[in-house]
Amino acid sequence: MKKFILKKEEPKIRPEDYSIPYSELLNNEQLKAVFFDKGAALVIAGAGTGKTRTLIYRVARLVESGVDPTEILLLTFTRRAATEMLNRASSVLDDRCQKVKGGTFHFYCSHILHRFADKIGFPDNFTIIDTSDSLEVVQFVRTSLNLHKKNKRFPNKSTLLNMISTSVNKHLDLRVVVMEEYPQFYEQIEKIEEVAKGYAEYKEKNFVMDFDDLLIKTKQLLEQHNDIRVKVASSHKFVMVDEYQDTNQLQADLTRLFSSVHNNIMAVGDDAQSIYSFRGADHQNIMAFPGLFEQTNIIKLEENYRSTPQVLMAANNLLKQASYKFDKELFSSKEEGELPALVQAPSEHDQSRFITQVLLQLREQNVELNETAVLFRNGRDSYDLEVELNRKNIPFVKYGGQKFTEAAHIKDVLAHVRVLVNPMDTIAWNRVLMLIDGIGPKTAQDLFEWIRLAKNPYDLGMADVVSKSYIKQMTSLSKLLQYLKKNDLSVSEIIDELVGYYRVFCEKRYDDYPKRLKDLEAFINISTGFSSLTKMLEELALDPITATAVETEEKEKEEAPLILSTIHSSKGLEWKHVFIIQCLDGIIPSAYSVDDPEQLDEELRLLYVATTRAKDMLYYTYPMLAQSVYGDYFTNPSRFLKQLDENTAEKWQLEEEHVESIGGSATNENLLNS
């Protein structure tokens, strides 16, 4: 009997039939994006224009219109961002929004690769290594090739890994990367290529992948297996990508592959906030999007809800200097504010004195310190200010620092987890074994060779290379691993057992072990949220916890601190008051960028990002006199500030307070107190 398949009709809902009053909650351009249904759309979302809000309501609208939420893919640059968006979409509509596929490119690619691992010659229990593990592998390869003993200076492990990763993310031959970015090492290019080859072979042999591999192998899988591409892409009726200006070429290719069946793709981003080329992000991706997808609809979000009109005027004037951009003009309905201040300080120290005095004035006006941020191009730009803040007892926090999963004691416990999941993980075994007294690199390597060939890799007491000096500790480790492997325990129960075993090592290795043990207790609690060890390793590798529990606990007890941050780390954040310091030629723009039009444009975008962090008041500051190893020299303010005329920014000149007599003084709000 011949069958005829009746296609399921798409539900048709009139705007007035929706439960959410979209037209009351969104402006016209946001509405266009939210109700966009078919084809490709590029949403150019200026700073503070409600980009996240637009994505949230589009998810809710699609689900409310009858789209199966599992057929919606939302790609973001952090898992946290995706989770928050879907939580907010659920609060707007209902829990159906939680079924939307959301996460990072790396996380979603990992999901695909685990599903089709056999097609790429990997077992489905392959592990993902983070940056510190990758560095260890590179060093292992470097050492095995005896390159650490070369008479001529050879790149260290960090430089080598950067070379390899840059080559992958920028789609450039390794030789080109070394020639353009590390010319001092080009005469050793053959040896560098040997390291890259050894690094790749190690990963293949031990069934591990780094972050770059997740993207590369997914792209290869989808391009080489058309049936899998169709299967994967068919499951995405709608694809949305957040922060598209930060994608690299691989991510742009994956976006095209993920949406290749239904062709319903929406990229949201701001070309003016593309500032991560050093991470491999390609500004050309967002500019080329309309050419990549036929009949792309361009929607511009220009109404800013963050900043005063005066701050936006400065931002718009800065952006006019960009040579390659989408034209847009940010505007705001907020009340008029003060003109941004263009502050010329006699010296760097005077710049620091000015900032601390303004901060103390704001404190007297009951403005919380954490409502203010000081932004800068490089971490070293704030050193003088940090000294002055300490002198004035003004608490501050500087963005950055060690991630939770990069702390040595956490990595030690995670190494035990990794050998349970993947007994062929050399780096993990090396870390586990070298905790034991008497086991060094050579012995650890010999033990791993036995483990690789053993029927039961966890029965370490049977290894013929085990010495009497550490047989007792090896037996304890062996019993623990076999017990954890054989018994059906929850993730938190396994972590609890491992922490109990590790406690003695922690107390022996670290003087501050009480704090570290608190971290480990917190880790046990964190582990309750994972359904499997594989899932836990995957999520912690792809989206690390950013601070230890101890650090967080201690900070919460203090006064909310002032924020010091590099401009790169400030993206996506906002404060009432913002200082942008060291606005000098040679710093912003960087001296290395002035001869490269593309890099110069990115430096301009960097200052634009910093400018648009301010809600109410903005200060551009720079010293007239700077210091170097060669002595003092006169500076030039950033060339980008020349676009800010008297109608856009008010010039401030700092002067020393002059006291003429007891009881009388010359004072001014813009003057420095002695």
Side-chain angles (χ1 to χ4, degrees), residues 450 458-464 466 471 474-475 478-479 482:
W450 179 89
Y458 305 110
D459 192 5
L460 302 171
M462 298 296 294
D464 51 12
V466 174
I471 183 66
M474 286 288 287
T475 302
S478 183
K479 286 181 178 178
Q482 292 188 82

Side-chain angles (χ1 to χ4, degrees), residues 32-162:
K32 285 182 186 177
V34 166
F35 278 86
F36 186 83
D37 265 329
K38 297 291 183 182
L42 176 61
V43 180
I44 302 297
T49 58
K51 166 182 70 68
T52 301
R53 182 179 181 86
T54 302
L55 280 169
I56 289 165
Y57 276 92
R58 187 169 192 248
V59 168
R61 206 278 304 172
L62 287 173
V63 173
E64 189 174 10
S65 68
V67 177
D68 185 340
T70 64
E71 295 182 332
I72 301 172
L73 176 63
L74 173 63
L75 293 170
T76 58
F77 271 77
T78 66
R79 291 275 321 279
R80 194 172 297 106
T83 301
E84 289 176 0
M85 283 189 202
L86 297 182
N87 284 341
R88 288 174 62 183
S90 297
S91 66
V92 166
L93 183 63
D94 55 50
D95 286 345
R96 285 177 293 171
C97 296
Q98 294 290 346
K99 297 178 181 179
V100 169
K101 298 175 187 172
T104 65
F105 277 95
H106 294 94
F107 186 82
Y108 191 60
C109 286
S110 142
H111 168 76
I112 293 171
L113 292 175
H114 277 296
R115 184 179 171 190
F116 301 105
D118 61 310
K119 299 294 184 181
I120 57 171
F122 271 64
D124 59 8
N125 68 335
F126 70 83
T127 52
I128 302 166
I129 57 176
D130 61 17
T131 301
S132 61
D133 291 326
S134 295
L135 288 170
E136 288 189 44
V137 176
V138 169
Q139 183 60 23
F140 173 80
V141 174
R142 186 175 181 266
T143 303
S144 66
L145 295 171
N146 288 320
L147 297 173
H148 63 302
K149 297 179 179 179
K150 288 178 70 71
N151 293 326
K152 292 184 180 180
R153 189 168 176 269
F154 193 74
N156 60 33
K157 59 185 180 181
S158 181
T159 302
L160 287 165
L161 185 62
N162 284 337

Side-chain angles (χ1 to χ4, degrees), residues 200-468:
E201 290 175 346
Y202 173 93
K203 291 184 292 178
E204 293 285 339
K205 183 179 179 181
N206 293 282
F207 303 130
V208 298
M209 294 189 198
D210 62 18
F211 293 165
D212 293 337
D213 292 326
L214 296 174
L215 305 184
I216 295 168
K217 293 186 181 297
T218 301
K219 180 175 181 275
Q220 290 173 345
L221 174 71
L222 300 182
E223 288 182 338
Q224 295 171 9
H225 299 273
N226 192 57
D227 57 328
I228 295 176
R229 178 191 63 79
V230 171
K231 190 172 186 177
V232 170
S234 295
S235 68
H236 311 142
K237 189 168 284 186
F238 292 91
V239 178
M240 288 177 278
V241 183
D242 190 22
E243 304 287 7
Y244 193 78
Q245 79 280 348
D246 294 335
T247 56
N248 59 31
Q249 188 57 56
L250 275 169
Q251 290 162 332
D253 291 341
L254 287 167
T255 298
R256 174 178 52 79
L257 291 165
F258 290 159
S259 59
S260 59
V261 171
H262 297 289
N263 297 308
N264 295 323
I265 171 69
M266 177 176 284
V268 182
D270 184 6
D271 59 295
Q273 297 187 71
S274 178
I275 59 173
Y276 294 121
S277 66
F278 65 96
R279 295 181 185 171
D282 190 346
H283 177 254
Q284 297 301 319
N285 284 346
I286 192 167
M287 304 305 299
F289 187 93
L292 187 62
F293 296 93
E294 292 183 2
Q295 298 180 330
T296 296
N297 285 265
I298 299 177
I299 302 169
K300 296 179 183 178
L301 306 185
E302 296 173 295
E303 184 173 358
N304 178 286
Y305 297 93
R306 174 186 299 158
S307 307
T308 64
Q310 285 68 29
V311 170
L312 296 182
M313 190 186 304
N316 289 329
N317 281 4
L318 285 174
L319 205 56
K320 287 176 183 177
Q321 302 173 65
S323 54
Y324 196 36
K325 62 184 184 294
F326 287 105
D327 289 327
K328 59 178 175 292
E329 189 86 8
L330 297 183
F331 66 94
S332 173
S333 299
K334 285 185 68 172
E335 291 184 6
E336 298 287 315
E338 295 183 54
L339 285 175
L342 192 57
V343 185
Q344 182 187 77
S347 69
E348 186 175 355
H349 184 58
D350 291 328
Q351 175 183 246
S352 300
R353 291 170 61 200
F354 164 72
I355 293 168
T356 55
Q357 287 184 35
V358 174
L359 288 170
L360 292 172
Q361 289 176 7
L362 289 171
R363 185 191 257 174
E364 290 174 3
Q365 297 167 16
N366 295 318
V367 176
E368 297 284 341
L369 282 174
N370 65 348
E371 293 180 313
T372 301
V374 180
L375 308 181
F376 35 83
R377 177 67 171 80
N378 304 296
R380 59 184 174 275
D381 295 334
S382 67
Y383 289 167
D384 186 87
L385 176 61
E386 290 171 42
V387 173
E388 188 67 9
L389 290 170
N390 281 321
R391 196 169 72 84
K392 297 290 186 180
N393 294 315
I394 298 174
F396 65 89
V397 61
K398 193 169 181 178
Y399 275 18
Q402 189 181 60
K403 293 177 178 176
F404 185 91
T405 48
E406 292 173 351
H409 51 299
I410 302 297
K411 286 190 72 68
D412 286 342
V413 176
L414 283 173
H416 291 77
V417 177
R418 285 169 52 188
V419 301
L420 285 171
V421 172
N422 179 8
M424 294 296 106
D425 191 333
T426 312
I427 295 297
W429 271 115
N430 192 63
R431 192 175 191 106
V432 167
L433 294 170
M434 286 181 60
L435 288 172
I436 296 172
D437 293 335
I439 296 182
K442 179 63 170 64
T443 304
Q445 188 176 347
D446 291 340
L447 281 165
F448 182 72
E449 288 304 316
W450 179 89
I451 290 167
R452 187 191 292 276
L453 301 172
K455 289 184 179 179
N456 181 359
Y458 305 110
D459 192 5
L460 302 171
M462 298 296 294
D464 51 12
V465 294
V466 174
S467 167
K468 291 181 180 178

Side-chain angles (χ1 to χ4, degrees), residues 589-601 603 639:
S590 161
Y592 299 105
S593 68
V594 294
D595 295 325
D596 185 333
E598 287 189 11
Q599 285 300 311
L600 197 60
D601 250 21
E603 293 289 306
R639 65 190 67 188

